[in-house]
Every structure is written in structure tokens, then in C-alpha cells.
């Protein structure tokens, strides 16, 4: 337990850290990688270049500091981070180095704004938070190891089938190379792949949502190929995967993730944008298997039919107790001729209110961050409570509020 003086000091100085969170995050990773270059094998270097990882780390630390006397208030963040850590193979012995480096970064950035008392208080707070994370992660490792077919670390899978879902998205069906059983998972979870790309010094790890219901003899992931743009380079791992062939071997960690579905019988609304359809498809198929009587609405938004993935899966849903809607931002001539969409433009509050009977539903949404911010803002404006708005971000940004 932390003493009252430590809690007060951390609470008081948390806003100062928040104001300087980006610079602290940048300095932290500079120091960390200089001390332990092998950690490049864990962290997503694309997110490092974009600044996402730095912002996410500092944001998480500041949130923990603000709520150091009531960590239940940030339970969702803790669950999300610990699931990611287990998927990446983070170990308890790595926490002291992270803590030491974080405090160095705070001192380097804030300088005269902090003194020994402040640093000492944050050192105690970090240790208290680290102990919680280590305990939770230890339980997660134990749970996955004890599952039938479960494993820790990496396991070899071969690509048994590749299916082109759209111009930019391909599905990969994966089977264990050892022929052993696959552990089940919760709809909405992801697996983590580690790939070695020729010419790169370090390995790359990426999370990919499982895009089918559990209980199959394969894992299916549906991956968007991230092409180069004026602002961003091409996605290294996504392009690597799209170049693979059936029979190739991939290394994967066991399923993880906290974006899972409630089993209560409240009506469900799934809203996906682009490749955000992947965890949603797993969820809706699972609901059809386990709760076929549950009222479900599935809304998918894409640029147009050329990049609309998993169309056959969506068409199959229409034959069940699922009401489906499609929204295209820029429909093609073929889309107009085939009448394959219900709305041109973007998902907005007025349209949601026109197609949904009421707001007394559980909403799950996933897609690019701007898409999710727009959906979240619309639902909040409508008066949908926060506990009925669940989302998954594919970037390290842990909040869209």
C-alpha cells in the first residue's frame, strides 16, 4: 500500500507529466533502446516512427498516476495493456529496467519541475503499478498454458489457405505445424505474429484479429495490405504476409485481447470500418452459434465495393437473425449498378437513428481511429452510456474519447 504523502504527490504532479507526455515518451524510448536494443524485437517500429507508441506509453503512465488511489477506474486500460504484454511475451524481469528508464526520462524532460521527493514518489507508484501488472500477466500466462492446446511463447503455423477478400485484404488460414490441437478463444481476440524480414536487423511483431468464430481446426486472420502513401511508408509486415504462399511457416503467440462480447441478451449493434470488420465477424458468428435468438444489427463502412472484405460472410449473415447495412464513402459505377450499398457517404447519427429502433443496445465498433472517434461522438451525442460503447483500436492509442 502506498502512503498518503506519496499518493498526494503523484496525484498533484500527474497533470505536469500529462502536459509533457509526448516528450517523456520520446525520451523514454530513446533511452530504453540504447540500453536494451533487443527490445526492438518486441516494439512495433512503425508505431515508433509515427509517435503512437510514445504517446500511448506516457498517457498510460499519467492515467495510472491520476488514479493511483483507485486503479479500478482504469481497469479497462490495465486489461488491454496486460493482454498485449502477454501476447508480446513481456516478462517480469523487464519491469525494473522500464521503471528506471521512465524516471530518467521524466527527469531529463521536466528538469527543474521535479525534485527528489517527486521522483521518489513516482518510483514507489511505478513499483506498485508494476506489481499489479506482473501479477495479472503471470495469471494470463498460466491460463493460456493450461488451456487444451495452449502454449506460451511462439508456435509454428503453416498457411493452409489464402483467400483474396478484396483489392487490399487477404485471409490467411493457419494450422499448427506440430499437428496439435488449437486452443479456443473469445470472439474479438487476436493472435500475434512474429516475422523476420530479410535485410532487417530485428524481428517484427504484429497483432491480427481472428476473423472467424472459434471452434475451427484453423485460425483465420484477414490482413489489409498497407500500401505506401504520401505521409506513410508501406506496411512492412502486411506486405510481407501478402507475398507469402500457401505452405509457408509463420510464428504466432496464443490468442489474446480484452475486446470481447457480453453474453447478456441486450440487442447488439456492430459498426465496422474497413479492416475493422475482422473482430466483428468473429463476434457476430459466435453470437449466431451461441445466442441465435439475440437481436443483431451489423453495419459496415468501406470506401467502395472494391475494398469491401468478407462480403460472402456478410451475405450469409442476412440469412440469419441479423439485419445488415452497408455504407460506401465513394461508390464505384459497379456499386451503383449492383445496388450493393445502403448509404453513400459516412456513418452519422442521423442515419443511425433512422435505421435503429432505439439506443437501448450494446454497440461494438472497430476501424480506423478517425472512424471510431466519429462513431463514438455520434453515440455519445445520442445519449448512449459509455458502458454500452465498446471499441477496439488497432493502434496503441488506448482511448478515443
Amino acid at each position: 500500500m502506498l502512503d498518503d504523502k506519496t499518493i498526494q504527490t503523484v496525484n498533484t504532479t500527474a497533470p505536469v507529466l500529462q502536459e509533457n507526455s509526448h516528450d517523456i515518451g520520446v525520451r523514454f524510448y530513446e533511452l530504453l533502446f540504447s540500453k536494451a536494443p533487443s527490445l526492438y524485437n518486441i516494439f512495433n517500429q512503425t508505431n515508433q516512427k509515427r509517435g503512437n507508441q510514445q504517446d500511448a506509453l506516457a498517457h498510460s503512465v499519467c492515467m495510472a498516476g491520476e488514479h493511483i488511489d483507485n486503479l479500478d477506474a482504469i481497469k479497462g486500460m490495465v486489461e488491454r495493456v496486460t493482454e498485449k504484454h502477454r501476447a508480446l511475451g513481456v516478462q517480469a524481469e523487464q519491469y525494473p529496467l522500464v521503471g528506471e528508464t521512465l524516471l530518467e526520462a521524466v527527469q531529463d524532460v521536466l528538469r527543474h519541475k521535479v525534485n527528489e521527493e517527486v521522483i521518489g514518489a513516482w518510483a514507489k507508484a511505478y513499483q506498485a503499478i508494476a506489481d499489479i501488472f506482473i501479477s495479472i500477466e503471470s495469471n494470463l500466462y498460466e491460463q493460456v498454458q493450461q488451456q487444451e492446446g495452449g502454449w506460451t511463447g511462439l508456435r509454428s503455423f503453416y498457411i493452409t489457405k489464402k483467400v483474396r477478400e478484396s483489392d487490399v485484404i487477404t485471409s490467411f488460414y493457419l494450422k499448427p505445424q506440430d499437428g496439435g490441437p488449437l486452443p479456443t478463444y473469445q470472439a474479438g481476440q487476436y493472435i500475434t505474429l512474429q516475422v523476420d524480414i530479410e535485410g532487417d536487423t530485428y524481428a517484427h511483431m504484429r497483432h491480427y484479429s481472428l476473423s472467424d468464430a472459434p471452434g475451427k481446426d484453423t485460425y483465420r486472420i484477414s490482413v489489409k495490405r498497407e500500401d505506401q502513401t504520401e505521409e506513410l511508408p508501406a506496411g512492412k509486415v502486411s506486405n510481407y504476409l501478402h507475398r507469402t504462399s500457401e505452405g509457408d511457416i509463420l510464428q504466432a503467440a496464443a490468442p489474446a485481447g480484452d475486446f470481447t462480447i457480453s453474453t447478456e441478451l441486450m440487442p447488439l449493434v456492430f459498426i465496422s470500418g474497413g479492416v475493422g470488420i475482422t473482430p466483428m465477424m468473429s463476434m457476430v458468428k459466435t453470437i449466431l452459434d451461441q445466442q441465435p435468438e439475440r437481436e443483431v444489427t451489423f453495419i459496415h463502412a468501406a470506401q467502395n465495393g472494391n475494398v469491401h472484405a468478407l462480403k460472402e460472410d456478410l451475405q450469409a449473415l442476412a440469412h440469419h437473425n441479423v439485419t445488415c447495412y452497408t455504407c460506401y464513402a465513394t461508390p464505384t459505377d459497379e456499386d451503383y449498378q449492383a445496388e450493393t450499398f445502403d448509404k453513400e457517404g459516412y456513418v452519422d447519427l442521423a442515419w443511425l437513428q433512422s435505421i435503429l429502433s432505439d439506443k437501448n443496445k450494446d454497440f461494438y465498433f472497430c476501424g480506423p481511429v478517425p472512424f471510431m472517434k466519429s462513431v463514438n461522438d455520434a453515440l455519445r451525442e445520442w445519449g448512449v452510456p459509455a458502458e454500452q460503447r465498446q471499441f477496439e483500436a488497432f493502434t496503441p492509442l488506448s482511448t478515443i474519447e
Side-chain angles (χ1 to χ4, degrees), residues 220-238:
R220 184 179 78 170
I221 58 173
S222 303
V223 179
K224 179 187 177 186
R225 185 188 67 246
E226 298 291 348
D227 296 324
Q228 183 175 347
T229 66
E230 291 183 2
E231 296 83 17
L232 298 170
K236 279 200 169 188
V237 178
S238 66

Side-chain angles (χ1 to χ4, degrees), residues 79-80 82-88 140 144 184-192 207-210 253-260 392:
E79 289 178 348
R80 182 172 297 116
T82 52
E83 288 281 347
K84 296 278 189 185
H85 283 181
R86 201 280 293 158
L88 293 169
L140 291 175
V144 73
T184 189
Y185 56 89
Q186 295 184 69
Q189 290 190 309
Y190 53 81
I191 60 172
T192 303
H207 308 300
Y208 292 106
S209 296
L210 291 151
D258 69 318
F259 183 56
T260 55
E392 172 74 304

Side-chain angles (χ1 to χ4, degrees), residues 263-313:
T263 56
E264 297 179 5
L265 289 177
M266 179 175 280
L268 285 166
V269 179
F270 298 104
I271 308 175
S272 59
V275 75
I277 195 173
T278 52
M280 303 301 198
M281 191 56 64
S282 178
M283 286 180 168
V284 71
K285 286 187 173 186
T286 299
I287 290 298
L288 289 176
D289 288 343
Q290 299 179 1
Q291 298 176 308
E293 73 284 0
R294 198 165 178 183
E295 180 187 327
V296 179
T297 303
F298 199 106
I299 301 166
H300 182 61
Q303 286 299 310
N304 52 55
N306 292 338
V307 294
H308 182 167
L310 303 176
K311 289 182 186 178
E312 292 183 4
D313 294 62

Side-chain angles (χ1 to χ4, degrees), residues 368-389:
V369 170
F371 169 83
M372 291 197 298
K373 284 183 176 178
S374 176
V375 170
N376 191 56
D377 289 346
L379 295 177
R380 185 168 48 194
E381 182 181 342
W382 196 5
V384 177
E387 62 269 19
Q388 291 171 221
R389 292 181 269 126

